[in-house]
mmCIF file of all heavy atoms in Angstrom:
data_model
loop_
_atom_site.group_PDB
_atom_site.id
_atom_site.type_symbol
_atom_site.label_atom_id
_atom_site.label_comp_id
_atom_site.label_asym_id
_atom_site.label_seq_id
_atom_site.Cartn_x
_atom_site.Cartn_y
_atom_site.Cartn_z
ATOM 1 N N ALA A 1375 69.777 70.453 111.953
ATOM 2 C CA ALA A 1375 70.054 70.095 113.340
ATOM 3 C C ALA A 1375 69.879 71.284 114.263
ATOM 4 O O ALA A 1375 69.298 71.131 115.385
ATOM 5 C CB ALA A 1375 71.489 69.574 113.444
ATOM 6 N N THR A 1376 70.266 72.482 113.868
ATOM 7 C CA THR A 1376 70.113 73.636 114.705
ATOM 8 C C THR A 1376 68.653 73.988 114.882
ATOM 9 O O THR A 1376 68.208 74.332 115.991
ATOM 10 C CB THR A 1376 70.885 74.854 114.184
ATOM 11 O OG1 THR A 1376 70.422 75.236 112.907
ATOM 12 C CG2 THR A 1376 72.366 74.608 114.177
ATOM 13 N N LEU A 1377 67.894 73.876 113.801
ATOM 14 C CA LEU A 1377 66.468 74.191 113.886
ATOM 15 C C LEU A 1377 65.687 73.177 114.750
ATOM 16 O O LEU A 1377 64.916 73.553 115.592
ATOM 17 C CB LEU A 1377 65.850 74.213 112.460
ATOM 18 C CG LEU A 1377 66.234 75.397 111.622
ATOM 19 C CD1 LEU A 1377 65.823 75.183 110.183
ATOM 20 C CD2 LEU A 1377 65.605 76.671 112.166
ATOM 21 N N ARG A 1378 66.000 71.907 114.584
ATOM 22 C CA ARG A 1378 65.333 70.879 115.377
ATOM 23 C C ARG A 1378 65.649 71.009 116.859
ATOM 24 O O ARG A 1378 64.823 70.742 117.703
ATOM 25 C CB ARG A 1378 65.689 69.474 114.867
ATOM 26 C CG ARG A 1378 65.024 69.172 113.578
ATOM 27 C CD ARG A 1378 64.966 67.689 113.331
ATOM 28 N NE ARG A 1378 66.299 67.143 112.951
ATOM 29 C CZ ARG A 1378 66.483 65.987 112.431
ATOM 30 N NH1 ARG A 1378 65.438 65.158 112.252
ATOM 31 N NH2 ARG A 1378 67.668 65.515 112.125
ATOM 32 N N ALA A 1379 66.877 71.390 117.156
ATOM 33 C CA ALA A 1379 67.280 71.525 118.566
ATOM 34 C C ALA A 1379 66.910 72.893 119.164
ATOM 35 O O ALA A 1379 67.041 73.078 120.353
ATOM 36 C CB ALA A 1379 68.822 71.354 118.664
ATOM 37 N N GLY A 1380 66.440 73.767 118.312
ATOM 38 C CA GLY A 1380 66.084 75.117 118.777
ATOM 39 C C GLY A 1380 67.298 75.917 119.242
ATOM 40 O O GLY A 1380 67.211 76.730 120.156
ATOM 41 N N LEU A 1381 68.436 75.683 118.584
ATOM 42 C CA LEU A 1381 69.665 76.373 118.937
ATOM 43 C C LEU A 1381 69.934 77.518 117.972
ATOM 44 O O LEU A 1381 70.205 77.294 116.768
ATOM 45 C CB LEU A 1381 70.871 75.410 118.848
ATOM 46 C CG LEU A 1381 70.942 74.356 119.922
ATOM 47 C CD1 LEU A 1381 72.068 73.367 119.615
ATOM 48 C CD2 LEU A 1381 71.183 74.986 121.307
ATOM 49 N N PRO A 1382 69.801 78.750 118.421
ATOM 50 C CA PRO A 1382 70.153 79.884 117.541
ATOM 51 C C PRO A 1382 71.651 79.796 117.153
ATOM 52 O O PRO A 1382 72.491 79.377 117.990
ATOM 53 C CB PRO A 1382 69.888 81.084 118.412
ATOM 54 C CG PRO A 1382 69.042 80.616 119.500
ATOM 55 C CD PRO A 1382 69.359 79.172 119.730
ATOM 56 N N ILE A 1383 71.988 80.206 115.975
ATOM 57 C CA ILE A 1383 73.355 80.205 115.544
ATOM 58 C C ILE A 1383 73.960 81.570 115.951
ATOM 59 O O ILE A 1383 73.567 82.610 115.505
ATOM 60 C CB ILE A 1383 73.476 80.043 114.017
ATOM 61 C CG1 ILE A 1383 72.884 78.698 113.616
ATOM 62 C CG2 ILE A 1383 74.926 80.148 113.574
ATOM 63 C CD1 ILE A 1383 72.777 78.473 112.113
ATOM 64 N N ALA A 1384 74.939 81.508 116.880
ATOM 65 C CA ALA A 1384 75.562 82.707 117.403
ATOM 66 C C ALA A 1384 76.740 83.182 116.533
ATOM 67 O O ALA A 1384 76.941 84.393 116.338
ATOM 68 C CB ALA A 1384 76.016 82.474 118.827
ATOM 69 N N HIS A 1385 77.552 82.197 116.062
ATOM 70 C CA HIS A 1385 78.741 82.527 115.269
ATOM 71 C C HIS A 1385 78.941 81.543 114.145
ATOM 72 O O HIS A 1385 78.439 80.399 114.218
ATOM 73 C CB HIS A 1385 79.994 82.498 116.187
ATOM 74 C CG HIS A 1385 80.046 83.630 117.165
ATOM 75 N ND1 HIS A 1385 79.450 83.597 118.360
ATOM 76 C CD2 HIS A 1385 80.651 84.851 117.072
ATOM 77 C CE1 HIS A 1385 79.648 84.705 118.993
ATOM 78 N NE2 HIS A 1385 80.369 85.486 118.211
ATOM 79 N N LEU A 1386 79.608 82.024 113.101
ATOM 80 C CA LEU A 1386 79.936 81.189 111.935
ATOM 81 C C LEU A 1386 81.442 81.211 111.745
ATOM 82 O O LEU A 1386 82.094 82.246 111.993
ATOM 83 C CB LEU A 1386 79.270 81.738 110.680
ATOM 84 C CG LEU A 1386 77.799 81.909 110.705
ATOM 85 C CD1 LEU A 1386 77.330 82.745 109.520
ATOM 86 C CD2 LEU A 1386 77.075 80.566 110.717
ATOM 87 N N CYS A 1387 82.007 80.087 111.359
ATOM 88 C CA CYS A 1387 83.424 80.028 111.076
ATOM 89 C C CYS A 1387 83.613 79.400 109.690
ATOM 90 O O CYS A 1387 83.121 78.296 109.436
ATOM 91 C CB CYS A 1387 84.184 79.209 112.121
ATOM 92 S SG CYS A 1387 85.957 79.423 112.010
ATOM 93 N N ASP A 1388 84.272 80.110 108.790
ATOM 94 C CA ASP A 1388 84.384 79.653 107.402
ATOM 95 C C ASP A 1388 85.831 79.586 106.941
ATOM 96 O O ASP A 1388 86.159 79.799 105.782
ATOM 97 C CB ASP A 1388 83.572 80.550 106.474
ATOM 98 C CG ASP A 1388 84.022 81.993 106.500
ATOM 99 O OD1 ASP A 1388 84.859 82.378 107.337
ATOM 100 O OD2 ASP A 1388 83.515 82.782 105.667
ATOM 101 N N GLY A 1389 86.720 79.232 107.874
ATOM 102 C CA GLY A 1389 88.126 79.110 107.518
ATOM 103 C C GLY A 1389 88.966 78.659 108.707
ATOM 104 O O GLY A 1389 88.416 78.422 109.764
ATOM 105 N N GLN A 1390 90.221 78.522 108.488
ATOM 106 C CA GLN A 1390 91.116 77.986 109.513
ATOM 107 C C GLN A 1390 91.757 79.058 110.382
ATOM 108 O O GLN A 1390 92.380 78.749 111.396
ATOM 109 C CB GLN A 1390 92.240 77.171 108.805
ATOM 110 C CG GLN A 1390 91.661 76.162 107.857
ATOM 111 C CD GLN A 1390 91.981 74.732 108.255
ATOM 112 O OE1 GLN A 1390 92.927 74.509 109.031
ATOM 113 N NE2 GLN A 1390 91.227 73.793 107.740
ATOM 114 N N ARG A 1391 91.612 80.291 109.980
ATOM 115 C CA ARG A 1391 92.258 81.398 110.729
ATOM 116 C C ARG A 1391 91.277 81.943 111.761
ATOM 117 O O ARG A 1391 90.379 82.664 111.474
ATOM 118 C CB ARG A 1391 92.668 82.508 109.796
ATOM 119 C CG ARG A 1391 93.661 82.105 108.764
ATOM 120 C CD ARG A 1391 93.906 83.219 107.744
ATOM 121 N NE ARG A 1391 92.620 83.669 107.199
ATOM 122 C CZ ARG A 1391 92.314 84.930 106.930
ATOM 123 N NH1 ARG A 1391 93.190 85.885 107.147
ATOM 124 N NH2 ARG A 1391 91.132 85.289 106.456
ATOM 125 N N VAL A 1392 91.512 81.509 113.033
ATOM 126 C CA VAL A 1392 90.682 82.025 114.110
ATOM 127 C C VAL A 1392 91.554 83.042 114.861
ATOM 128 O O VAL A 1392 92.697 82.747 115.167
ATOM 129 C CB VAL A 1392 90.227 80.891 115.026
ATOM 130 C CG1 VAL A 1392 89.441 81.424 116.227
ATOM 131 C CG2 VAL A 1392 89.386 79.903 114.256
ATOM 132 N N PRO A 1393 91.096 84.210 115.084
ATOM 133 C CA PRO A 1393 89.718 84.706 115.044
ATOM 134 C C PRO A 1393 89.277 85.353 113.754
ATOM 135 O O PRO A 1393 88.089 85.723 113.649
ATOM 136 C CB PRO A 1393 89.667 85.734 116.200
ATOM 137 C CG PRO A 1393 91.034 86.335 116.167
ATOM 138 C CD PRO A 1393 91.972 85.208 115.774
ATOM 139 N N GLU A 1394 90.154 85.499 112.779
ATOM 140 C CA GLU A 1394 89.778 86.205 111.533
ATOM 141 C C GLU A 1394 88.609 85.583 110.806
ATOM 142 O O GLU A 1394 87.794 86.340 110.210
ATOM 143 C CB GLU A 1394 90.970 86.250 110.571
ATOM 144 C CG GLU A 1394 92.140 87.076 111.059
ATOM 145 C CD GLU A 1394 93.140 86.268 111.897
ATOM 146 O OE1 GLU A 1394 92.863 85.082 112.160
ATOM 147 O OE2 GLU A 1394 94.145 86.826 112.291
ATOM 148 N N ASP A 1395 88.454 84.278 110.851
ATOM 149 C CA ASP A 1395 87.362 83.609 110.125
ATOM 150 C C ASP A 1395 86.144 83.304 110.984
ATOM 151 O O ASP A 1395 85.212 82.601 110.533
ATOM 152 C CB ASP A 1395 87.904 82.298 109.473
ATOM 153 C CG ASP A 1395 88.915 82.577 108.385
ATOM 154 O OD1 ASP A 1395 88.837 83.665 107.739
ATOM 155 O OD2 ASP A 1395 89.802 81.765 108.166
ATOM 156 N N LEU A 1396 86.157 83.760 112.222
ATOM 157 C CA LEU A 1396 85.001 83.579 113.117
ATOM 158 C C LEU A 1396 84.198 84.868 113.117
ATOM 159 O O LEU A 1396 84.703 85.947 113.358
ATOM 160 C CB LEU A 1396 85.497 83.303 114.523
ATOM 161 C CG LEU A 1396 84.463 83.002 115.604
ATOM 162 C CD1 LEU A 1396 83.703 81.717 115.282
ATOM 163 C CD2 LEU A 1396 85.104 82.903 116.928
ATOM 164 N N HIS A 1397 82.897 84.752 112.752
ATOM 165 C CA HIS A 1397 82.048 85.919 112.571
ATOM 166 C C HIS A 1397 80.734 85.807 113.363
ATOM 167 O O HIS A 1397 80.170 84.683 113.466
ATOM 168 C CB HIS A 1397 81.627 86.030 111.071
ATOM 169 C CG HIS A 1397 82.797 85.878 110.138
ATOM 170 N ND1 HIS A 1397 83.690 86.895 109.895
ATOM 171 C CD2 HIS A 1397 83.189 84.821 109.384
ATOM 172 C CE1 HIS A 1397 84.578 86.474 109.054
ATOM 173 N NE2 HIS A 1397 84.301 85.226 108.684
ATOM 174 N N PRO A 1398 80.236 86.907 113.885
ATOM 175 C CA PRO A 1398 78.923 86.868 114.499
ATOM 176 C C PRO A 1398 77.912 86.513 113.444
ATOM 177 O O PRO A 1398 78.024 86.940 112.263
ATOM 178 C CB PRO A 1398 78.678 88.337 114.960
ATOM 179 C CG PRO A 1398 80.041 88.940 114.995
ATOM 180 C CD PRO A 1398 80.875 88.201 113.992
ATOM 181 N N ALA A 1399 76.947 85.650 113.774
ATOM 182 C CA ALA A 1399 76.016 85.154 112.761
ATOM 183 C C ALA A 1399 74.977 86.163 112.345
ATOM 184 O O ALA A 1399 74.544 86.191 111.195
ATOM 185 C CB ALA A 1399 75.332 83.886 113.293
ATOM 186 N N ALA A 1400 74.518 87.025 113.251
ATOM 187 C CA ALA A 1400 73.399 87.897 112.945
ATOM 188 C C ALA A 1400 73.581 88.732 111.690
ATOM 189 O O ALA A 1400 72.736 88.740 110.806
ATOM 190 C CB ALA A 1400 73.113 88.830 114.142
ATOM 191 N N PRO A 1401 74.758 89.420 111.499
ATOM 192 C CA PRO A 1401 74.896 90.212 110.264
ATOM 193 C C PRO A 1401 75.190 89.354 109.004
ATOM 194 O O PRO A 1401 75.179 89.878 107.934
ATOM 195 C CB PRO A 1401 76.076 91.137 110.561
ATOM 196 C CG PRO A 1401 76.814 90.525 111.708
ATOM 197 C CD PRO A 1401 75.826 89.673 112.433
ATOM 198 N N ARG A 1402 75.376 88.070 109.207
ATOM 199 C CA ARG A 1402 75.747 87.217 108.073
ATOM 200 C C ARG A 1402 74.613 86.198 107.727
ATOM 201 O O ARG A 1402 74.841 85.248 106.979
ATOM 202 C CB ARG A 1402 77.028 86.442 108.383
ATOM 203 C CG ARG A 1402 78.206 87.384 108.462
ATOM 204 C CD ARG A 1402 79.484 86.711 108.681
ATOM 205 N NE ARG A 1402 79.851 85.787 107.650
ATOM 206 C CZ ARG A 1402 80.745 86.015 106.722
ATOM 207 N NH1 ARG A 1402 81.423 87.137 106.690
ATOM 208 N NH2 ARG A 1402 81.068 85.113 105.822
ATOM 209 N N LYS A 1403 73.404 86.442 108.209
ATOM 210 C CA LYS A 1403 72.297 85.530 107.938
ATOM 211 C C LYS A 1403 72.030 85.393 106.449
ATOM 212 O O LYS A 1403 71.863 84.268 105.940
ATOM 213 C CB LYS A 1403 71.007 85.975 108.674
ATOM 214 C CG LYS A 1403 71.030 85.749 110.129
ATOM 215 C CD LYS A 1403 69.745 86.192 110.793
ATOM 216 C CE LYS A 1403 69.836 86.036 112.281
ATOM 217 N NZ LYS A 1403 68.646 86.522 112.920
ATOM 218 N N LEU A 1404 71.987 86.494 105.748
ATOM 219 C CA LEU A 1404 71.704 86.416 104.290
ATOM 220 C C LEU A 1404 72.860 85.713 103.578
ATOM 221 O O LEU A 1404 72.618 84.915 102.682
ATOM 222 C CB LEU A 1404 71.552 87.870 103.746
ATOM 223 C CG LEU A 1404 71.172 87.954 102.278
ATOM 224 C CD1 LEU A 1404 69.873 87.201 102.011
ATOM 225 C CD2 LEU A 1404 71.018 89.412 101.878
ATOM 226 N N TRP A 1405 74.101 85.930 103.994
ATOM 227 C CA TRP A 1405 75.244 85.248 103.413
ATOM 228 C C TRP A 1405 75.091 83.749 103.620
ATOM 229 O O TRP A 1405 75.358 82.979 102.711
ATOM 230 C CB TRP A 1405 76.519 85.753 104.057
ATOM 231 C CG TRP A 1405 77.726 84.964 103.611
ATOM 232 C CD1 TRP A 1405 78.507 85.178 102.527
ATOM 233 C CD2 TRP A 1405 78.312 83.829 104.274
ATOM 234 N NE1 TRP A 1405 79.511 84.271 102.442
ATOM 235 C CE2 TRP A 1405 79.436 83.431 103.505
ATOM 236 C CE3 TRP A 1405 77.975 83.123 105.435
ATOM 237 C CZ2 TRP A 1405 80.213 82.328 103.869
ATOM 238 C CZ3 TRP A 1405 78.771 82.044 105.793
ATOM 239 C CH2 TRP A 1405 79.861 81.660 105.032
ATOM 240 N N LEU A 1406 74.684 83.332 104.825
ATOM 241 C CA LEU A 1406 74.507 81.894 105.101
ATOM 242 C C LEU A 1406 73.464 81.274 104.224
ATOM 243 O O LEU A 1406 73.648 80.185 103.663
ATOM 244 C CB LEU A 1406 74.173 81.702 106.590
ATOM 245 C CG LEU A 1406 74.077 80.260 107.073
ATOM 246 C CD1 LEU A 1406 75.421 79.573 106.957
ATOM 247 C CD2 LEU A 1406 73.572 80.226 108.520
#
C-alpha cells in the first residue's frame, strides 16, 4: 500500500507504549 501510494514510511510503531515504541523509520529499514 505504501509503495503503490508513493508514501515514504516516516515512522514505525511496534508496541503499545507510545512514545517508547514509536521509531523513526530511516534507521530501522533493515529491521523492517
Side-chain angles (χ1 to χ4, degrees):
T1376 62
L1377 288 168
R1378 288 200 286 193
L1381 290 172
I1383 299 173
H1385 289 84
L1386 304 168
C1387 192
D1388 60 353
Q1390 307 243 340
R1391 298 172 309 140
V1392 176
E1394 294 88 356
D1395 294 330
L1396 183 65
H1397 313 282
R1402 293 183 61 104
K1403 286 180 184 178
L1404 185 57
W1405 174 86
L1406 184 63

